[in-house]
Amino acid sequence: MGRSRQRRAKRPGRAEAPRGHGGPASGAAALGALPTLNAELDALLLQLLLDLEHLEGKRAALNARVEEGWLSLSKSRYAMGVKAVGPLQYGSSMAALFRVGISEPEPGRPEFQVMFTDPKEAQGLMEPKAEVPFPPVRRRRTQPQPTCPEPAPLALPKRDPLTWFGILVPQSLRQAQGSFRAALLMAGEVAGLQSRIEWGRGQIQILLQEKRKLLDQLKVA
Amino acid sequence: MAARGKLIAVIGDEDTVTGFLLGGIGELNKNRRPNFLVVEKDTTINEIEDTFRQFLQREDIGIILINQYIAEMIRHILDSYTNSIPAILEIPSKEHPYDAAKDYIIRRARTMFTAEEH
């Protein structure tokens, strides 16, 4: 009550502001907050556009790797037979060699990191390497493949999916494995970018709502 | 499980699933529930929906890879999906190349740049 009397005393010609909106004081506050809000909005929008651009690049790379993998699989089928590479060869027991680690630097914005499961961890579950009672079959070591991304660390024969397709597999099948493993690593990056874009979108929507409220306050004031 | 990380699931055609399993993401857990689904000509949309929903509810799956043409069949589920984990990645298939305009992330991001936002 006292404040409104003071306001009328200072500005006798001004109509009293409707109750609940705060009047000129809130309008001044809204005017002061608007540039900061606009700057935040601009920064978030720019970051969103950058993330979208990065996502497009990563997606193109991921898709290229997958297509490389299909081509290599087709070559393998040509060498081994059409029915020799397919669901009929899947192992009866499987343990994932690649897993994804998830961290949340900010709430609602997870980051994904695809990683190769430590073969030593598998050794802890199985017999030690030197004592594995395999039949006297030579274990192939992955050879350098210049046309493929760097090969994944050597997996124990029992866990390596290549063993589903026979003891001696063509080089094209190893290349296919390399391509799909590279695609998996990129999938983690793409997932992280997607979550960042979704998070940014949510933040922009929140700030836009705040901006609308501020603009409404300014209109009233 | 938390120390070892989460699994990557895949729903796709034979080549896509075979390729990623060859890469080493396949797992058959003690309940014999796989983290993959091979979609063939006689696979029904209900099967795809059920599998997808199961993957969404599993706590041990961090990323779901799905061929885009299969994602189109269950677009209604994808459009209503708002969680960040598991992440869903649409990937091309041999017969259907990737179309960014159909990707649910890109479509949502587009809505930020419509005139009505200002």
Side-chain angles (χ1 to χ4, degrees):
Chain A
M1 185 67 86
R3 280 186 189 171
S4 60
R5 281 184 188 165
Q6 286 174 9
R7 240 185 273 130
R8 274 194 232 122
K10 284 179 185 175
R11 296 172 187 164
R14 198 180 177 107
E16 192 173 3
R19 291 177 192 238
H21 291 271
S26 69
L31 200 61
L34 205 53
T36 313
L37 192 63
N38 283 338
E40 281 182 48
L41 264 172
D42 287 342
L44 280 171
L45 274 167
L46 279 172
Q47 187 58 48
L48 184 70
L49 289 170
L50 275 172
D51 288 340
L52 282 168
E53 192 181 345
H54 287 147
L55 180 65
E56 189 185 4
K58 286 289 175 189
R59 276 209 166 274
L62 168 67
N63 294 344
R65 288 290 185 216
V66 171
E67 285 163 14
E68 266 178 30
W70 289 331
L71 182 61
S72 299
L73 277 180
S74 298
K75 289 178 184 173
S76 305
R77 287 201 179 98
Y78 183 77
M80 299 167 68
V82 173
K83 299 290 182 188
V85 181
L88 292 173
Q89 283 76 38
Y90 294 172
S92 56
S93 65
M94 298 181 194
L97 295 174
F98 278 85
R99 287 179 176 268
V100 55
I102 300 174
S103 59
E104 264 187 283
E106 285 179 69
R109 190 172 74 84
E111 285 189 358
F112 300 82
Q113 189 181 5
V114 176
M115 52 199 175
F116 187 82
T117 308
D118 189 359
K120 289 180 188 175
E121 185 186 332
Q123 282 185 359
L125 298 172
M126 299 167 61
E127 295 167 11
K129 192 175 177 180
E131 297 172 16
V132 173
F134 287 127
V137 174
R138 281 183 302 152
R139 195 159 53 103
R140 275 183 173 267
R141 295 195 178 273
T142 43
Q143 300 189 359
Q145 300 163 12
T147 58
C148 286
E150 53 185 32
L154 184 65
L156 291 175
K158 226 172 182 179
R159 293 185 66 197
D160 189 350
L162 272 177
T163 57
W164 301 345
F165 303 96
I167 306 290
L168 297 174
V169 294
Q171 189 67 9
S172 52
L173 200 61
R174 294 184 185 277
Q175 288 174 355
Q177 185 179 57
S179 297
F180 279 103
R181 284 182 169 175
L184 284 170
L185 295 174
M186 284 180 198
E189 296 175 33
V190 169
L193 278 169
Q194 285 187 178
S195 76
R196 199 152 65 187
I197 288 167
E198 281 291 285
W199 179 86
R201 199 175 65 88
Q203 295 297 305
I204 289 170
Q205 282 175 340
I206 291 169
L207 287 180
L208 281 173
Q209 282 175 5
E210 283 183 27
K211 184 177 175 179
R212 280 193 204 105
K213 285 180 192 168
L214 288 177
L215 289 174
D216 288 341
Q217 285 179 10
L218 282 175
K219 281 180 195 169
V220 166
Chain B
M1 177 66 73
R4 295 174 61 200
K6 293 181 186 271
L7 296 170
I8 302 172
V10 58
I11 300 175
D13 55 20
E14 182 180 314
D15 279 356
T16 303
V17 175
T18 300
F20 280 111
L21 290 187
L22 181 63
I25 63 166
E27 174 131 333
L28 280 173
N29 65 9
K30 52 187 173 182
N31 297 323
R32 304 298 294 179
R33 284 193 309 167
N35 63 332
F36 55 90
L37 173 68
V38 180
V39 175
E40 293 165 334
K41 289 177 192 173
D42 51 359
T43 306
T44 63
I45 294 181
N46 281 340
E47 282 179 70
I48 300 170
E49 284 182 5
D50 289 343
T51 305
F52 187 72
R53 287 200 172 101
Q54 282 171 24
F55 287 170
L56 290 179
Q57 285 166 7
R58 281 174 63 168
E59 291 186 359
D60 60 345
I61 289 177
I63 295 177
I64 301 174
L65 302 170
I66 182 168
N67 284 139
Q68 194 172 51
Y69 82 96
I70 300 172
E72 281 292 299
M73 298 178 192
I74 56 170
R75 185 59 70 192
H76 54 287
I77 303 177
L78 272 166
D79 285 346
S80 60
Y81 179 70
T82 54
N83 294 345
S84 48
I85 301 170
I88 302 168
L89 270 63
E90 298 182 26
I91 55 177
S93 63
K94 278 174 95 170
E95 281 93 31
H96 304 87
Y98 176 75
D99 183 357
K102 295 180 183 175
D103 191 302
Y104 80 109
I105 292 286
I106 306 293
R107 281 165 52 182
R108 282 184 196 171
R110 269 190 189 173
T111 61
M112 303 307 307
F113 304 105
T114 53
E116 64 186 10
E117 292 296 339
H118 303 287

